[in-house]
Amino acid sequence: MSVLTIYNSLTRQKEVFEPLHPPYVGLYVCGPTVSGESHLGHARPYITFDVVYRYLRHLGYQVRYVRNITDAGHFEEEGREAEDKIARGAILEKLEPMELVQKYTRLFHWGMQQFNCLDPNIEPTATGHIIEQISMIEDILAKGYAYVVNGSVYFDVVKYAAHYPYGQLSGRVLDELLATTRELEGQEEKRNKADFALWKKAPPQHIMRWKSPWGEGFPGWHIECSAMSTKYLGHPFDIHGGGMDLLFPHHECEIAQSTIAFGEPPVRYWMHNNMITINGRKMGKSYHNVIKLTELFSGQHPLLEQPYHPMVVRFYILQTHYRSTLDFSNEALQAAERGLQRLWEAFDLLQKMATAIPDGQALAPEEKFSSNSLEGRIQQLCADCREAMDDDFNTARVLANLFELVPIVNAAGHHQLAEQLSPATIKLLQQSFSLYLSEILGLQPIQKQDSQLVEALLELLIEIRREARLRKDYATSDRIRQQLQRIGIQLKDEKDGSVTYTFQ
RNA sequence: GGUCCCGUGGCCGAGUGGUCAGGCAGAGGUCUGCAAAACCUUAUACAGCGGUUCGAAUCCGCUCGGGACCUCCA
């Protein structure tokens, strides 16, 4: 039996995963900033960590999955900036911050549902935890690692670095950060460039503001995750995940402020997924290549040749290891679309084969086959799925294994296989597909809902066509098939004389 | 400029020092009234140059190319 190993960004190596308090596991993932519509880039971390969550649960852990919603900060609705400048009265038109946040939170949830991501157990909002953030800041101030300037509070990174290791996670060296020539706005209040804001004083026009011991303002960009993860998962907790772009400064800041506040580093395993790129470039506002989820699913984007089903995107993402960059292209997604269909059709077939097995036979004793026999190979491939998942969630290898099983399944199901598979092996195949494809990787069939009505109508057409074929009236039979093809239904004459269909 | 990562066949992508990745697209075949699907067979590969080794796509060095982070960012 293999054991789960996780690549820890902090130590830059794979480590055996041992939860602090088994069977409980605390999992915190940095959630989206809901100031705009969710995009393709959001798909990667949340699908990645959905699989992490699913797999940990499968291993028997009781996971508390916390994923925040960042709804504090300075928000403007996308595309409205220019408008705002023009009309003074636009303030009336402007969405209430809460309204904006709710709108995009709902859209985000919708997107996650499309991807079949399980809900986190707790989805805390930054605005809902102002008190926790303030008290954590007070704590850091009391310990002497932060200072107040002008109604804002900054974390003293230089002092921190003198007593604690700083920059370990992101490989940063403080002196180099301080030597950076880059000039940024709003830096003048800081004692040092590397310091970061825990609390910011709100300028008069700022619409999101809360009372604090330092005046009206809003929390800094890093404190929410520390305050909320600790509140719900304690300290330290097991796994903290997020995109690689959050390594610095976000997660580095989290480590520093939590270390001061709680006296120890906050997280035991740091996990970071790599970025999605488009034509080799990271997707980002500044590159003007952001594809929103609504655009992705509808195909309404200049870079898209067609709509892509959420499951195709999920599958495509899981076909790459989460720590590799994933380049986006129409060609690759179309290949994924076909591949997923092939995988799913084999799974369907397998379900039918498995239900055809009488109950008693399914419980046949475990047989050991030599590894060079067909059944032995099947056992090996199924077992390797477990190994692959244990090897830092190598979903790509799991899928490759399942693909290798597809021809075997198809051949057996279509009676094209010389030898018969034993009921136990068929059951093993069915269980493996169900477990990995559906339960752990969270994939769902892309086939459109075939309602009973559609099914009945199709049966009728198939019956008419069958009669036509018996009369050798191929004009009629081909016409039925071609017309159905045109509306997206593919008829297939199976070897045994039956007719099956798939939706495209 | 600093830090780090990557470079696998037409495209996408796993991977370990010595044996097949896999998918999509090709090619040939079987089956079929014809299709489709399925099955079988099959070409093309590890950026370049050195080094370590009995042996390297896999380890080391250099070169070239690409990317990420250093700023909100998934």
Side-chain angles (χ1 to χ4, degrees), chain A residues 368-380 419:
Chain A
K368 263 289 168 195
F369 295 92
S370 78
S371 59
N372 49 15
S373 75
L374 180 61
E375 308 232 359
R377 216 166 85 77
I378 292 171
Q379 287 187 339
Q380 227 166 21
E419 40 188 317

Side-chain angles (χ1 to χ4, degrees), chain A residues 202-220:
Chain A
Q205 73 277 14
H206 202 290
I207 42 182
M208 299 191 85
R209 53 206 305 139
W210 290 267
K211 276 185 184 157
S212 80
W214 318 287
E216 284 202 350
F218 54 94

Side-chain angles (χ1 to χ4, degrees), chain A residues 92 155 409 504:
Chain A
L92 293 171
F155 187 89
V409 170
Q504 287 159 344

Side-chain angles (χ1 to χ4, degrees), chain A residues 43-45 47-49 51-52 244 271-277 311-329 332-333 335-336 388-389 391-400 403 441 443:
Chain A
R44 185 107 195 245
I47 289 172
T48 296
F49 288 103
V51 172
V52 169
M244 261 178 54
M271 289 180 68
H272 292 91
N273 62 275
N274 217 315
M275 303 286 103
I276 282 180
T277 58
M311 278 308 117
V312 171
V313 177
R314 183 175 177 115
F315 171 77
Y316 180 58
I317 285 173
L318 294 177
Q319 246 188 328
T320 307
H321 185 86
Y322 74 91
R323 282 188 287 112
S324 304
T325 52
L326 173 62
D327 194 48
F328 180 94
S329 69
L333 271 178
M389 284 306 292
D391 184 10
D392 195 29
F393 308 96
N394 196 333
T395 56
R397 213 167 95 202
V398 172
L399 286 169
F403 268 117
L441 299 186
L443 293 164

Side-chain angles (χ1 to χ4, degrees), chain A residues 294-408:
Chain A
T294 48
E295 295 168 335
L296 184 63
F297 300 157
S298 69
Q300 300 295 309
H301 189 281
L303 291 170
L304 300 176
E305 286 170 9
Q306 60 166 82
Y308 294 101
H309 191 281
M311 278 308 117
V312 171
V313 177
R314 183 175 177 115
F315 171 77
Y316 180 58
I317 285 173
L318 294 177
Q319 246 188 328
T320 307
H321 185 86
Y322 74 91
R323 282 188 287 112
S324 304
T325 52
L326 173 62
D327 194 48
F328 180 94
S329 69
N330 283 288
E331 202 180 359
L333 271 178
Q334 283 158 17
E337 190 171 44
R338 295 200 186 93
L340 178 58
Q341 175 133 356
R342 177 171 158 83
L343 211 46
W344 210 272
E345 278 174 24
F347 183 32
D348 274 344
L349 185 59
L350 206 42
Q351 303 277 39
K352 283 176 197 143
M353 288 159 69
T355 40
I357 299 171
D359 280 353
Q361 281 190 49
L363 298 169
E366 224 178 277
E367 294 170 75
K368 263 289 168 195
F369 295 92
S370 78
S371 59
N372 49 15
S373 75
L374 180 61
E375 308 232 359
R377 216 166 85 77
I378 292 171
Q379 287 187 339
Q380 227 166 21
L381 284 168
C382 290
D384 189 65
C385 288
R386 164 78 199 249
E387 300 257 347
M389 284 306 292
D390 278 343
D391 184 10
D392 195 29
F393 308 96
N394 196 333
T395 56
R397 213 167 95 202
V398 172
L399 286 169
N401 285 348
L402 296 182
F403 268 117
E404 283 206 59
L405 293 167
V406 165
I408 300 172

Side-chain angles (χ1 to χ4, degrees), chain A residues 9-29:
Chain A
S9 308
L10 191 65
T11 56
R12 289 151 203 260
Q13 59 190 14
K14 286 181 193 169
E15 296 172 359
V16 172
F17 177 64
E18 282 162 350
L20 195 58
H21 304 293
Y24 302 101
V25 171
L27 171 65
Y28 186 92
V29 175

